[in-house]
């Protein structure tokens, strides 16, 4: 059975590293072709990235691949196979919403969401403390869209959303953004500490989600299907 989340991860690796292909291997010898860059996960799976020519910046690519693979598989589990080591998609969705809820509380935020700018999909969201949650989240997405060219991967930026709301936003995994909304003054040491602490779990859970195509036309925000709590 094909794992949609794993396929999305391999697509992300290809896009992040500007490669021509990526795959997961079990067993056999490590590749020796100079066009290949690989990373062995702690559970034994080997992620192999294929380039059209030997990459000139091999060390940088190896370091980035290590970060991506360690995010997917974790850094401590030595017993599971690549497929079983990943969080099941439905459980990942519930866990992501719960993790965003805890992050929002720890950071003193009024809400936290994960989204991407290539689609109207909100991949995860906390239960915002706001009268109009959809309006709040749409305003966050619109503001991030305006400022996205100024944002750097794995760096947190502070943006003014409107007269009453500020946000902290952080791009990650090459495609996604996490944004925290604040309707009171931000305590940056507290909020940033909570965000940095939560990011490894959030990134792993987002990469475990199944692909979802938005319906044609209509809504500006599309939420993931409702999940039981």
């Amino acid at each position: 059975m094909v794992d949609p989340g794993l396929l999305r991860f391999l697509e992300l690796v290809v896009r992040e590293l500007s490669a021509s292909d990526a795959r997961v291997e079990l067993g056999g010898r490590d590749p020796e072709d100079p066009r290949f860059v690989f990373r062995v996960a702690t559970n034994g799976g080997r992620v192999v990235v294929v380039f059209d020519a030997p990459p000139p910046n091999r060390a940088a690519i190896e370091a980035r691949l290590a970060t991506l693979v360690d995010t997917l598989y974790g850094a401590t589990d030595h017993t599971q196979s690549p497929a079983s080591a990943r969080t099941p998609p439905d459980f990942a969705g519930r866990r992501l919403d719960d993790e965003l809820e805890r992050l929002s509380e720890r950071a003193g935020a009024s809400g936290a969401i994960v989204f991407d700018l290539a689609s109207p999909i909100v991949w995860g969201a906390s239960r915002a403390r706001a009268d109009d949650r959809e309006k709040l989240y749409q305003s966050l997405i619109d503001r991030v869209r305006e400022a996205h060219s100024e944002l750097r991967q794995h760096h947190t930026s502070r943006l003014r959303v409107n007269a009453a709301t500020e946000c902290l936003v952080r791009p990650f995994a090459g495609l996604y953004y996490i944004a925290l909304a604040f309707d009171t003054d931000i305590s940056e040491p507290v909020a940033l500490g909570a965000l940095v602490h939560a990011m490894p779990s959030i990134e792993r859970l987002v990469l475990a989600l199944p692909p979802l195509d938005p319906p044609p036309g209509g809504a500006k925000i599309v939420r993931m299907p409702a999940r039981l709590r």
Side-chain angles (χ1 to χ4, degrees):
M1 181 177 178
V2 176
D3 183 340
L6 183 56
L7 291 178
R8 287 180 68 236
F9 170 75
L10 293 175
E11 291 172 0
L12 172 66
V13 168
V14 170
R15 184 170 60 249
E16 279 283 287
L17 302 182
S18 300
S20 59
D21 194 16
R23 59 179 178 261
V24 174
E25 298 178 345
L26 290 175
R29 296 179 179 178
D30 291 341
E32 298 180 355
D33 192 314
R35 297 173 302 160
F36 294 0
V37 177
F38 67 93
R39 170 74 174 182
V40 178
T42 54
N43 53 27
R46 181 170 57 240
V47 178
V48 179
V49 185
V50 181
F51 295 87
D52 293 331
N57 54 339
R58 190 176 191 91
I61 289 175
E62 289 176 341
R64 182 59 182 142
L65 178 61
T67 299
L68 292 169
V69 170
D70 291 348
T71 296
L72 176 71
Y73 290 98
T76 58
D77 188 349
H78 295 268
T79 60
Q80 295 174 305
S81 69
S84 64
R86 301 188 68 260
T87 308
D90 290 344
F91 184 60
R94 293 194 297 269
R95 284 281 310 278
L96 177 59
D97 285 350
D98 290 342
E99 191 69 34
L100 291 171
E101 183 72 21
R102 286 190 291 269
L103 170 59
S104 182
E105 293 175 355
R106 291 170 182 164
S110 55
I113 60 171
V114 170
F115 58 96
D116 69 81
L117 298 183
S119 75
I121 295 170
V122 172
W123 296 98
S126 68
R127 296 182 292 275
R129 300 192 303 274
D131 294 335
D132 190 337
R133 180 170 107 151
E134 182 169 327
K135 183 178 179 180
L136 171 65
Y137 287 158
Q138 185 63 63
S139 66
L140 290 180
I141 294 172
D142 290 344
R143 182 67 182 96
V144 172
R145 190 179 299 277
E146 291 174 0
H148 79 277
S149 62
E150 305 168 14
L151 305 177
R152 298 167 56 198
Q153 282 286 312
H154 304 289
H155 286 75
T156 304
S157 300
R158 182 172 178 171
L159 301 175
R160 169 64 64 178
V161 179
N162 53 47
T165 306
E166 287 189 276
C167 76
L168 293 179
V169 59
R170 184 181 180 95
F172 67 96
L175 177 66
Y176 302 97
Y177 295 80
I178 181 169
L180 284 74
F182 297 84
D183 53 17
T184 59
D185 289 339
I186 302 175
S187 173
E188 287 199 10
V190 172
L192 288 173
L195 180 58
V196 170
H197 179 77
M199 281 310 302
S201 294
I202 288 172
E203 188 164 359
R204 184 176 68 251
L205 292 168
V206 169
L207 292 175
L209 292 171
L212 179 66
D213 294 326
K220 296 180 73 176
I221 289 181
V222 179
R223 285 285 287 119
M224 291 288 286
R227 296 183 275 263
L228 297 176
R229 289 185 174 273

